[in-house]
Amino acid sequence: MDRSKEAVASTGLLVAAIRAAESAREDRLFTDPYADKLAGNTGRALLAGAIAETGERSTVQIVVRTRFFDDALLRAVRVAEQVVILAAGMDARAYRLAWPDGTAVYELDQPAVLAAKQDVLADDEPRCRRMAIGVTWPTTGPSR
C-alpha cells in the first residue's frame, strides 16, 4: 500500500477511535457500539497521539460532524431509499443507525479498507441493505 492510501486508512481508524471515545462519555452526542473494535489498537494509539499533540479540541469537529450527518441521513431516508457514503472508511452507520425498512446503504472506499472493515464486523449484521463497493483510481494519467 502506498503512503497516500495508508494515510487514508489510518484516518479511518483515528475517526473510529474518536467515535468510540465519544460513545463512552456520559454526555455523548451519539453511540457507536462498533467504533472501538473498528478502531483497534492502531486507532486508539493514533487518537492518543493526536490528543497529546493538539489536545481534545482536535476531536470535536469529528464528533459534531458525526451527529450532524447521522441526523441528516435519517431525515433524508424519509423520502429516499438509498444512501451513498463516499470514503466510508471505518464508518458503522449501516450497522448502528435505525434505518427504515428497505433502505440501501452503499459504502465506497478502497477495496482493502472495505475488506478490513468486513473482517472486523464479520459477526455483526447491518440494519439495512449494505453494499460495499471497492473503488480504485489510476496512478497515472491526467491529474485531478
Side-chain angles (χ1 to χ4, degrees):
M1 187 183 294
D2 71 30
R3 295 294 284 160
S4 63
K5 291 179 183 178
E6 184 178 308
V8 172
S10 295
T11 299
L13 298 175
L14 172 61
V15 171
I18 292 169
R19 288 194 315 268
E22 178 65 16
S23 296
R25 294 171 46 104
E26 291 280 329
D27 62 344
R28 62 188 162 267
L29 290 180
F30 58 85
T31 301
D32 186 341
Y34 305 97
D36 190 57
K37 70 178 171 178
L38 286 166
N41 291 332
T42 301
R44 287 188 288 277
L46 289 167
L47 177 57
I51 289 173
E53 188 174 316
T54 62
E56 283 196 38
R57 286 180 282 160
S58 63
T59 68
V60 172
Q61 70 164 325
I62 301 298
V63 170
V64 171
R65 181 183 79 181
T66 298
R67 177 58 190 264
F68 174 83
F69 281 112
D70 285 356
D71 292 346
L73 291 170
L74 290 174
R75 278 192 310 273
V77 293
R78 292 179 192 159
V79 295
E81 295 180 344
Q82 299 178 0
V83 171
V84 178
I85 301 174
L86 301 175
M90 295 295 130
D91 185 290
R93 285 185 176 97
Y95 293 83
R96 68 180 178 83
L97 293 183
W99 299 104
D101 288 342
T103 301
V105 175
Y106 296 86
E107 296 182 349
L108 282 67
D109 209 317
Q110 299 170 57
V113 172
L114 293 171
K117 179 166 41 177
Q118 183 61 41
D119 288 348
V120 172
L121 298 179
D123 294 332
D124 298 294
E125 290 293 324
R127 299 177 73 181
C128 60
R129 286 185 307 127
R130 175 183 173 262
M131 275 69 67
I133 301 169
V135 179
T136 58
W137 52 89
T139 57
T140 61
S143 62
R144 290 176 260 161

